[in-house]
Amino acid sequence: MDVALAMQVLFGGLTTGGIYAMIALGFTLVYRSTTVLNFAHGEFAMMGAFLTITGVTALKLPVLAAFLLAVAVTAVVGVLFERLAVRPVRTQAPFVVILLTLGASTLFRGVAMIIWGKDPLTLAPFSGSTSIFVAGAAIQPQVLWVLGGAIGTVIGLSLFLNKTTYGKALRACSENANAASLVGINVSTMVLISFAISAGIGALAGVLITPITAMEFNGGFALAMKGLTGAIIGGLDRVSGVIFGALALGIIEAFSSVYISSLMKEAVAFVVLILVLMVWPNGVLARKASR
Amino acid sequence: MSGVLDSAIVLGIIRFLAGRHAWMVLFLVAAVIPMVLLGNSYLMSSFAIIAIFSIVVLSLDLVMGYGGLPNFGVNGFFALGAYVMGVLAAKLGIPLALGAGIAVLLNLGVAFLIGVATLRMKHYYFAVASLGLGVIVVQVIGGLPDQTGGWSGLTGIPKVSALGYTLSSDLAFYVVSCAALFISLAAGRNLVGSRFGRAIQAISTDELATEAVGIFVAEHKVKLFMVTSVFGSLAGSLYVLFLRVPTPANFDVPVLVEMTLMLFLGGQRTLWGAIIGSGVMRLLPEVMGGFHDFTTALQGLTLILILLFLPKGLAGKAEEVWKDRLRPRVVVDRYASAQARNGHDASQRFDGRTPGEGPLLEATGLSKRFGGVQAVSELTFSVPRRKIKAIIGPNGAGKTTAFNLLTKVITPDDGYACFNGISLKAYKPHEVSRMGIVRTFQTPRLFSTMSALENVKVGLHTHLKAGIINALVPLAATRREEHDAEERAYALLELTGIAPRAATIADKLPFGERRLLEIARGLAVQPSLILLDEPAAGLNETEKDRLSELLLRLRDAGLTLLLVEHDMRVVMNIADEVLVMNYGQKIADGTPAEIQRNDAVLKAYLGEDTVYAAN
């Protein structure tokens, strides 16, 4: 095997894996605080990207400002979505909640299509496009932004969850919402916060990947499917499982598209998923069933 | 309002709608309307697609609505049905009908494998894995351009011609698709009302209770997958004839999402909601006309609004109004009619399968530990035939765990139980039930969406024969069996004294009657031994007396009863033997009179001091 090529593919895999991991983290954050799988999560990535593009092109903002604004606006959309649509149906059957988020996903895509059109849009790379060479592999600077963003998200999120009062309260809600409310934690506020953070991370992922792959109105949904697949492979109920699954998925996809067939890249992801779940029905790193 | 509803014309309409075949008339009328209004216009193609999609959405309703399985893989079956037939015809010249048949067989195989592979997965894991099935099929089709034409589409599929007529106009396609939908709807309705249909609905509400009446859950889930795959496959074959040049995008995830939206918009657990949902979703773009770009947003918004304000869907809401307000005006409760009552004799015997003497059930050294708690320890006891034995003991004594061990819901760490001389070691819960041991639960676990009568009919499952083919196309023998089952179920409701509630949805029964219904459902399995977990809990004194009287009557009919019970009055009145447990161990075993004098029992119940004081 050609080492340089393998390195190149590995970096490609890490890049997509990093994005998947960020998407997957957004999924788990909401899942753990509400047991809702938010199928509209990918649309937050799409919104983040499109809003940044609008900020840069129409409002002539610097990329950083446009990006921060986009993340903030997306987080607000996440909060509104939770308040107006998710909360009223949360006590109903899981089906209803899934469907509601699917409906929201469709609505967000539809609105994005009206505002930004059907063609893919892109952003200029944040630090130019002069490739850096590592072990014979040419790497775009944007890849480093993606990897840095993914690592930063993981570190930031674990600091938040483990060191801050709000983070600990959030974890308490995910363990047992009833018990959490008994010790005085406002569960509904926690749910709101988890939606805001989840949407924000989604937007960040969307902005970072856009200079590499461009973004179209239904690009978020495709990302969501991948992030979710990665999260499920690793095991939804653990942050480490989610990151492991998403990175593994990115790398497997990259290698299979080079060494097997690029046409079946999507199929490979799900074949891996089904095989993994046949062996570990709750994901590779799932906690042992407690009862 | 009620004046209008009670007018002769309205009552006549309701009476017509309540008839068994009214849906056929309604279907034909609804199918003809677009033809009359539009003739052979381009819009007919939309209606043809609505009919074809309705078939797939209907199969989605069977698996998701009635079966409760979040199966998002239906587009895989749909795509296989289309492409297997299409490729065989276009590339190898195989006749279309034969190709469609091959596609069905292939789909059945895939459904079987996927069904077995996903059995252990729960909820979201299952949902996403099944979603994967569709993605894999579509991607493989797209990834084989030499065979399938890839993403640019498959060309060369011949037109259908039969008897010198070539199927080509949109109107002709509409008619053919409507015929296919009509057959699918009939098959779906038959399936839902059948033995198989009851089993899958039971599974979707409570798997444990379903196993407790002897139904093998895994088998039914896989079979349901396979049935769905046939609907999907045939609809796909039809769709490809209509498309002529299919591309994988015609079957990709967005189509699946659209179909799921159609199901919920229309209303799950109605079947006909599939048609309503497909119609609204597909006609919306046509109505929007110049505002085509707004369609996606509007579809999403519609779904959100439906879920928020009409969660049962359009058809679901209509059915609710129909069942609660309109139909009761004309329907005489048919179960209460004399015809059903004359059928079966309620005085059946329960010891036919286990004649003889001596103990019916013998437990030897049963032990179970949960973490640090020894829930049941070295429990040895026997239950004599045709007697009532009660297990009593303080909370946490291990009584319910003992039941779970005996019915194999949990596996003992050590020890075993013998039923009628046969060791239960190697048996699964549903097999234990089939041998003749049934149970009730501390909190009644009924099939909450089904009527009382249907609950009992689920209990009869293992004594009925109709398979899936009979379910889809019920011939005279199957209909006779169903009729017979109805009478047997009704007889059991009479035996337990809740016959007047036959048509009531289990969820709406008062608590005491739920307990009785659970017993009736257990009796339908025709057990030799019934395990009752606190049957008197939550009942008032009158209900307790009624229950005691029923249990004595069952014993006299040859049934052996083992009950866990806290109510000492009930226990001492009806039990022939009493087993006392504390901290997982047996502390006494004997007649009620012996137990009442036993020191260890008095200590456990009343505390040491009281016993010394009494002595």
Side-chain angles (χ1 to χ4, degrees):
Chain A
M1 196 194 280
D2 180 352
V3 177
L5 177 62
M7 282 303 288
Q8 188 83 49
V9 176
L10 180 67
F11 270 101
L14 279 176
T15 311
T16 34
I19 291 293
Y20 294 169
M22 289 165 78
I23 300 284
L25 280 174
F27 263 117
T28 20
L29 202 60
V30 165
Y31 173 74
R32 292 191 63 194
S33 65
T34 60
T35 69
V36 170
L37 266 197
N38 174 18
F39 278 88
H41 182 65
E43 274 60 43
F44 294 143
M46 174 269 289
M47 269 181 232
F50 279 173
L51 287 169
T52 309
I53 292 169
T54 301
V56 171
T57 55
L59 305 178
K60 308 291 180 209
L61 293 172
V63 176
L64 186 66
F67 153 76
L68 288 176
L69 192 64
V71 171
V73 171
T74 310
V76 170
V77 173
V79 165
L80 289 177
F81 169 54
E82 198 275 331
R83 272 289 142 111
L84 297 178
V86 177
R87 177 157 311 181
V89 299
R90 261 197 61 204
T91 49
Q92 295 185 28
F95 261 5
V96 178
V97 189
I98 293 186
L99 256 290
L100 185 106
T101 64
L102 265 179
S105 157
T106 311
L107 174 64
F108 290 153
R109 268 180 286 151
V111 172
M113 192 176 79
I114 296 167
I115 300 177
W116 287 285
K118 291 179 184 173
D119 297 325
L121 300 177
T122 191
L123 265 176
F126 298 174
S127 317
S129 46
T130 320
S131 295
I132 305 160
F133 287 87
V134 178
I139 295 161
Q140 293 177 43
Q142 188 65 26
V143 166
L144 299 180
W145 276 101
V146 170
L147 293 177
I151 294 167
T153 304
V154 172
I155 294 174
L157 199 59
S158 11
L159 284 179
F160 171 73
L161 288 176
N162 294 314
K163 302 289 178 196
T164 67
T165 317
Y166 274 109
K168 286 176 187 169
L170 200 66
R171 278 167 56 217
C173 291
S174 75
E175 292 290 331
N176 187 334
N178 280 336
S181 69
L182 284 179
V183 296
I185 295 171
N186 186 341
V187 175
S188 80
T189 306
M190 289 301 133
V191 168
L192 208 60
I193 290 177
S194 71
F195 264 85
I197 298 178
S198 165
I201 297 176
L204 174 64
V207 176
L208 292 178
I209 195 71
T210 299
I212 300 176
T213 61
M215 181 62 75
E216 52 180 348
F217 74 97
N218 54 16
F221 194 72
L223 277 180
M225 285 299 106
K226 290 307 172 53
L228 183 58
T229 307
I232 296 252
I233 287 176
L236 258 180
D237 57 357
R238 256 196 186 183
V239 171
S240 56
V242 166
I243 296 167
F244 164 82
L247 286 177
L249 183 67
I251 293 169
I252 291 169
E253 272 192 5
F255 277 93
S256 72
S257 66
V258 172
Y259 294 101
I260 302 174
S261 157
S262 65
L263 284 171
M264 298 210 196
K265 193 175 85 176
E266 316 286 310
V268 167
F270 281 101
V271 170
V272 170
L273 172 87
I274 291 177
L275 292 179
V276 163
L277 288 188
M278 281 170 71
V279 183
W280 297 280
N282 296 313
V284 178
L285 295 183
R287 292 180 227 203
K288 290 267 181 292
S290 52
R291 258 164 301 199
Chain B
M1 184 65 189
S2 72
V4 177
L5 283 177
D6 286 327
S7 74
I9 297 170
V10 173
L11 283 182
I13 293 172
I14 298 175
R15 198 163 287 125
F16 159 73
L17 289 175
R20 265 187 64 195
H21 299 293
W23 73 270
M24 296 185 181
V25 178
L26 288 180
F27 183 93
L28 290 176
V29 171
V32 167
I33 290 173
M35 297 201 285
V36 174
L37 290 183
L38 302 167
N40 196 8
S41 86
Y42 79 101
L43 265 176
M44 284 323 285
S45 68
S46 290
F47 280 96
I49 292 176
I50 289 170
I52 295 171
F53 272 41
S54 294
I55 299 173
V56 188
V57 177
L58 189 145
S59 77
L60 202 57
D61 195 10
L62 288 175
V63 71
M64 268 197 200
Y66 290 95
L69 296 171
N71 176 9
F72 288 98
V74 285
N75 64 326
F77 302 136
F78 193 41
L80 273 180
Y83 265 89
V84 169
M85 187 189 81
V87 169
L88 289 177
K91 305 282 174 181
L92 302 173
I94 289 176
L96 293 169
L98 180 60
I102 294 173
V104 167
L105 291 179
L106 187 72
N107 259 319
L108 282 171
V110 170
F112 175 78
L113 289 178
I114 287 292
V116 171
T118 54
L119 268 179
R120 285 168 64 209
M121 302 174 196
K122 299 274 180 220
H123 312 299
Y124 290 130
Y125 293 87
F126 174 84
V128 176
S130 66
L131 182 79
L133 167 71
V135 175
I136 292 169
V137 169
V138 169
Q139 292 292 323
V140 168
I141 291 170
L144 295 171
D146 296 341
Q147 289 78 25
T148 65
W151 290 93
S152 49
L154 173 66
T155 51
I157 299 172
K159 288 186 176 178
V160 192
S161 40
L163 309 170
Y165 177 76
T166 304
L167 190 60
S168 57
S169 79
D170 288 340
L171 183 61
F173 254 104
Y174 173 71
V175 172
V176 171
S177 307
C178 276
L181 175 58
F182 181 83
I183 295 168
S184 307
L185 194 56
R189 287 173 57 94
N190 289 337
L191 192 77
V192 167
S194 73
R195 169 178 178 260
F196 179 80
R198 283 193 297 272
I200 60 164
Q201 290 174 72
I203 291 169
S204 80
T205 44
D206 194 329
E207 287 194 18
L208 186 58
T210 313
E211 281 188 334
V213 294
I215 295 173
F216 187 22
V217 169
E219 173 200 331
H220 282 80
K221 283 186 178 172
V222 174
K223 280 185 177 167
L224 179 59
F225 257 58
M226 294 172 75
V227 172
T228 324
S229 77
V230 175
F231 282 92
S233 183
L234 291 174
S237 297
L238 190 60
Y239 193 39
V240 84
L241 291 175
F242 174 77
L243 289 172
R244 296 294 313 286
V245 184
T247 76
N250 292 123
F251 306 91
D252 211 350
V253 174
V255 176
L256 169 78
V257 172
E258 190 185 356
M259 286 176 169
T260 317
L261 301 192
M262 288 169 171
L263 172 63
F264 279 80
L265 183 65
Q268 41 165 352
R269 282 175 185 258
T270 59
L271 294 179
W272 63 282
I275 304 170
I276 305 292
S278 310
V280 173
M281 288 288 283
R282 277 288 160 152
L283 290 180
L284 209 55
E286 304 295 345
V287 178
M288 293 296 290
F291 303 95
H292 220 278
D293 283 352
F294 287 78
T295 308
T296 312
L298 203 63
Q299 283 176 339
L301 189 64
T302 311
L303 186 81
I304 294 177
L305 293 178
I306 286 280
L307 288 170
L308 288 179
F309 301 110
L310 208 61
K312 288 185 172 166
L314 298 169
K317 186 68 191 171
E319 284 221 340
E320 194 179 72
V321 172
W322 167 247
K323 282 184 179 157
D324 290 353
R325 307 222 359 237
L326 300 180
R327 193 175 62 179
R329 287 173 191 276
V330 298
V331 177
V332 187
D333 187 3
R334 69 190 160 109
Y335 308 126
S337 69
Q339 169 247 357
R341 208 169 306 167
N342 291 337
H344 264 261
D345 181 11
S347 64
Q348 67 171 107
R349 299 278 309 168
F350 289 98
D351 52 355
R353 287 155 74 195
T354 54
E357 294 303 321
L360 181 62
L361 181 80
E362 289 171 286
T364 313
L366 279 183
S367 299
K368 183 70 191 182
R369 172 179 283 277
F370 296 117
V373 182
Q374 188 72 42
V376 170
S377 165
E378 302 273 323
L379 185 64
T380 300
F381 70 97
S382 64
V383 184
R385 273 167 223 258
R386 294 179 287 277
K387 296 280 190 250
I388 297 178
K389 180 152 191 158
I391 304 181
I392 63 171
N395 286 327
K399 306 181 296 291
T400 298
T401 306
F403 268 21
N404 286 338
L405 290 171
L406 291 173
T407 50
K408 298 302 286 285
V409 172
I410 53 180
T411 314
D413 297 331
D414 206 4
Y416 60 94
C418 281
F419 175 72
N420 200 25
I422 303 161
S423 168
L424 296 175
K425 234 173 196 168
Y427 291 92
K428 296 195 178 78
H430 71 276
E431 293 167 331
V432 170
S433 166
R434 287 181 192 186
M435 288 175 76
I437 305 179
V438 299
R439 68 172 297 181
T440 65
F441 298 86
Q442 213 165 334
T443 315
R445 301 182 74 138
L446 296 167
F447 306 126
S448 53
T449 56
M450 302 163 86
S451 72
L453 192 83
E454 285 170 325
N455 266 274
V456 181
K457 280 165 93 180
V458 175
L460 287 166
H461 186 91
T462 51
H463 299 286
L464 305 177
K465 293 193 192 68
I468 291 189
I469 303 295
N470 306 115
L472 292 167
V473 189
L475 299 177
T478 307
R479 284 210 291 269
R480 224 174 8 254
E481 185 183 77
E482 269 300 302
H483 184 77
D484 192 48
E486 197 145 292
E487 289 184 348
R488 283 158 78 180
Y490 191 83
L492 285 167
L493 289 179
E494 288 206 314
L495 178 69
T496 47
I498 49 172
R501 302 285 197 174
T504 308
I505 300 298
D507 234 10
K508 308 232 158 102
L509 287 175
F511 188 77
E513 295 185 346
R514 283 192 222 175
R515 286 223 181 275
L516 293 171
L517 176 56
E518 206 186 19
I519 294 174
R521 185 181 71 191
L523 294 177
V525 185
Q526 293 168 31
S528 313
L529 171 65
I530 189 165
L531 311 182
L532 304 171
D533 199 346
E534 299 195 19
L539 302 190
N540 62 34
E541 293 304 312
T542 327
E543 289 171 327
K544 279 179 189 168
D545 289 341
R546 252 172 82 191
L547 176 79
S548 300
E549 190 256 341
L550 169 68
L551 299 185
L552 288 172
R553 204 141 37 90
L554 291 174
R555 181 193 65 185
D556 295 339
L559 187 66
T560 306
L561 297 93
L562 177 63
L563 44 130
V564 163
E565 187 49 70
H566 279 300
D567 189 300
M568 285 308 133
R569 193 173 66 93
V570 171
V571 169
M572 295 306 161
N573 279 345
I574 67 170
D576 299 296
E577 284 186 11
V578 179
L579 167 76
V580 190
M581 288 180 75
N582 200 10
Y583 298 112
Q585 289 175 322
K586 174 167 96 173
I587 57 174
D589 194 351
T591 65
E594 287 165 7
I595 295 301
Q596 280 169 316
R597 290 192 302 269
N598 187 304
D599 272 359
V601 177
L602 294 176
K603 268 183 216 162
Y605 268 87
L606 305 172
E608 304 263 340
D609 300 344
T610 331
V611 179
Y612 292 129
N615 287 347

